[in-house]
């Protein structure tokens, strides 16, 4: 029997995860290439067991796709248009493929209307071990400027996640794995510039960041003989 | 046949609405007294038709309870603990009453697990015409400091709605019916003090509010002969 279906999961309710990481001064997102279709990508997602909370479902899906436990997750928006799946141009393609693998009622269940709860996660890319799901050909971390066309409304879901991250980046910095244990102010600024996709004036940025009161200044970072060595910071414990 | 059930609605997914209004320097919320139980209150809520978006469902529920159309609504959080209904101390009370009115399967459907999408609305209280739902004895606008014990996790839902409103009140002021067409700075400040439940220093408040750039200063409000008459403001068009 297929794992999908109302015997295990809540029908018509799904979760999609926008998994952000930061690497080489670029904000990246984990996306999956579907085994169906020619070049069909989507956000990692899944369904909610009848016996688990929505947060537990999101954590489970995240662990299945990244190998990571205890990652901070935040719900940011529900996507509930009545036709977001039913009138998606990808629905018929998916349904035809699914009936080759599953019985008709399972294929119908998977491609029925779904209200989607969007969660985003911030992960340390170096620790991610991408794991394919049942319908994935492969997973990739892609720069947010390099996202291919995605299934259904997944680009819209990503856009909202990015907006939510931008709105609260100051508060979300703490303990969030987007930066190493210690870092220079320039590294924080590069992270902000990658997330917001714009430049910040340096002096202003440093003042604003210190005003947040979340950073602790450590020793200088001596990589050479320069007396211009930058200070290192870490998040206050 | 009952209106409830999966033939009409998505199962296991509900909407609860936190309907805020502002009156006599107090932030108020519309709550319903249930026809069951001794003194059992809840937030106005309902289910999502299979053929409507979640936003349309929330608007429909809001119109049914207030008589108001085209009210701004905002989803603020999903409440998805697996036992928020199933282990609520009110579930058995509700189920027993419901089986007197509906058949067993309908009573089970209504008291099954539900993932709840929370929406909040900001309304002009003078225009609200409270309408009882099928399970309401009456509806009341209550000050946020005067909310009785509510069903399930409805107090938690209200708390999150208030937190969401506070986080974005500056942006949410525009066009939101919490203030009359024109108003004095003191009236804006009183609104903030009611929502945040604390005092704001007057000079600071006025400067901050004007910095937002959303208010347009009009003529003075001459109610007497005083040269201390305050300026009137309105939102920029």
């Amino acid at each position: 029997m297929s794992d999908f279906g109302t015997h295990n999961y809540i029908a018509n309710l799904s979760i999609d995860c926008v998994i952000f990481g930061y690497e080489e001064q670029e904000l990246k997102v984990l996306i999956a290439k579907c085994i169906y279709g020619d070049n069909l990508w989507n956000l990692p997602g899944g369904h909610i067991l009848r016996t688990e909370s929505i947060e537990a479902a999101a954590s489970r899906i995240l662990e299945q796709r990244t190998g990571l436990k205890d990652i901070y997750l935040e719900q940011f928006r529900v996507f509930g248009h009545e036709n977001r799946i039913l009138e998606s141009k990808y629905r018929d393609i998916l349904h035809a493929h699914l009936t080759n693998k599953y019985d008709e009622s399972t294929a119908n269940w998977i491609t029925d209307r779904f209200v989607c709860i969007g969660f985003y996660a911030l992960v340390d890319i170096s620790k991610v071990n991408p794991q394919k799901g049942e319908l994935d050909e492969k997973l990739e971390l892609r720069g947010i400027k390099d996202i291919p066309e995605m299934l259904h409304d997944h680009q819209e879901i990503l856009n909202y996640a990015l907006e939510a991250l931008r709105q609260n980046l100051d508060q979300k910095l703490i303990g969030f794995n987007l930066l190493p244990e210690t870092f220079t102010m320039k590294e924080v600024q590069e992270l902000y510039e990658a997330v917001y996709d714009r430049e910040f004036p340096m002096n202003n940025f440093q003042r604003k960041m210190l005003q947040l009161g979340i950073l602790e200044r450590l020793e200088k970072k001596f990589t050479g003989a320069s007396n211009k060595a930058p200070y290192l910071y870490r998040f206050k414990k």
Side-chain angles (χ1 to χ4, degrees), chain A:
Chain A
M1 190 169 70
S2 143
D3 185 43
F4 297 104
T6 304
H7 47 282
N8 283 331
Y9 295 104
I10 296 178
N12 304 114
L13 189 60
S14 65
I15 285 176
D16 281 311
C17 295
V18 180
I19 304 169
F20 288 117
Y22 178 64
E23 192 179 50
E24 293 167 355
Q25 285 115 59
E26 198 179 20
L27 188 68
K28 296 189 172 177
V29 175
L30 189 68
I31 57 175
K33 188 164 184 285
C34 183
I35 51 174
Y36 306 136
D38 202 19
N39 191 23
L40 199 51
W41 296 80
N42 55 265
L43 296 169
H47 304 111
I48 300 155
L49 288 169
R50 302 191 71 85
T51 53
E52 72 185 346
S53 72
I54 57 168
E55 286 78 16
S59 293
R60 175 179 51 77
I61 293 163
L62 185 70
E63 187 180 348
Q64 286 168 347
R65 292 290 167 277
T66 66
L68 298 176
K69 283 182 192 243
D70 296 327
I71 293 302
Y72 181 90
L73 268 167
E74 184 153 346
Q75 40 161 294
F76 62 93
R77 190 175 181 82
V78 184
F79 300 85
H81 193 283
E82 64 272 33
N83 292 323
R84 57 178 289 275
I85 308 291
L86 297 180
E87 294 194 355
S88 162
K89 66 180 179 182
Y90 298 108
R91 181 175 183 257
D92 289 347
I93 300 170
L94 284 173
H95 192 274
H97 284 286
L98 288 166
T99 51
N100 292 330
K101 190 173 166 108
Y102 306 105
D103 61 29
E104 180 83 17
S105 74
T106 301
N108 289 345
W109 193 92
I110 299 174
T111 55
D112 195 5
R113 175 181 180 184
F114 273 92
V115 173
C116 165
I117 308 172
F119 280 81
Y120 74 79
L122 300 184
V123 301
D124 180 345
I125 282 186
S126 69
K127 293 184 180 151
V128 171
N129 182 14
Q131 306 285 328
K132 290 189 291 184
E134 207 169 330
L135 303 177
D136 301 332
E137 184 187 310
K138 61 175 175 176
L139 278 90
E140 272 184 27
L141 279 156
R142 288 281 194 101
I144 51 167
K145 291 179 176 175
D146 183 34
I147 303 291
E149 187 176 329
M150 290 194 289
L151 203 68
H152 309 325
D153 55 354
H154 285 202
Q155 181 65 53
E156 185 190 354
I157 295 174
L158 170 55
N159 293 347
Y160 270 101
L162 188 54
E163 190 51 43
L165 176 60
R166 285 174 179 164
Q167 276 185 18
N168 292 302
L169 186 56
D170 297 348
Q171 298 163 38
K172 298 294 178 284
L173 279 176
I174 302 175
F176 269 14
N177 301 322
L178 287 185
L179 290 168
E181 174 78 10
T182 64
F183 40 80
T184 64
M185 192 57 76
K186 182 157 176 287
E187 287 172 324
V188 187
Q189 184 168 346
E190 284 167 351
L191 168 64
Y192 269 74
E193 292 180 340
V195 172
Y196 284 88
D197 191 24
R198 67 176 178 87
E199 292 184 7
F200 288 87
M202 192 173 71
N203 289 340
N204 252 348
F205 182 85
Q206 172 152 354
R207 194 176 66 242
K208 184 189 157 213
M209 193 51 51
L210 293 176
Q211 276 173 352
L212 293 176
I214 59 179
L215 298 184
E216 178 180 5
R217 198 170 79 174
L218 306 170
E219 75 283 12
K220 283 197 168 199
K221 182 185 183 181
F222 290 107
T223 52
S226 167
N227 56 7
K228 290 205 171 173
Y231 280 103
L232 282 170
Y233 295 86
R234 71 173 172 202
F235 294 113
K236 284 182 184 166
K237 308 229 165 176

